[in-house]
């Protein structure tokens, strides 16, 4: 599945998230859209993988804790 915060929120609500992959880009915007919208349910994750990419970006892989 690929999508933004609304899609993730919906999938968390119905228990369909096992893995979340995301990129962290080292730029401070100062303001912007939250990663997950207000009202997103809790999902406990553990960091399964972290790769350093070009220009200090990170590729993160989180897996759901059971």
């Amino acid at each position: 599945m690929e999508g933004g915060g609304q899609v993730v929120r919906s999938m968390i609500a119905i228990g369909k998230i096992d893995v979340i992959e995301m990129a962290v880009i080292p730029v401070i915007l100062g303001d912007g859209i939250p990663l997950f919208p207000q009202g997103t349910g809790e999902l406990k994750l553990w960091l399964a993988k972290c790769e350093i990419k070009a220009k200090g970006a990170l590729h993160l892989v989180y897996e759901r804790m059971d």
Side-chain angles (χ1 to χ4, degrees), residues 1 5-6 10 12 14 16 19 21-24 28-29 33-34 37 40 43 53 55 62:
M1 173 202 61
Q6 285 292 92
S10 297
I12 289 173
I14 61 173
K16 296 294 182 182
V19 175
E21 294 190 40
M22 65 179 74
V24 175
I28 306 251
L29 299 175
I33 300 168
T40 301
L43 180 63
K53 299 294 186 175
K55 299 182 181 179
Y62 287 94

Side-chain angles (χ1 to χ4, degrees), residues 4-65:
Q6 285 292 92
V7 173
V8 172
R9 178 183 176 180
S10 297
M11 294 296 110
I12 289 173
I14 61 173
K16 296 294 182 182
I17 298 270
D18 292 322
V19 175
I20 292 182
E21 294 190 40
M22 65 179 74
V24 175
I25 310 298
V27 175
I28 306 251
L29 299 175
D31 201 8
I33 300 168
L35 183 58
F36 302 108
Q38 189 172 13
T40 301
E42 181 177 287
L43 180 63
K44 294 187 180 192
L45 306 164
W46 66 278
L47 181 62
K49 183 177 180 183
C50 176
E51 289 182 77
I52 299 172
K53 299 294 186 175
K55 299 182 181 179
L58 298 175
H59 173 233
L60 305 172
V61 178
Y62 287 94
E63 294 181 5
R64 185 171 70 188
M65 294 176 67

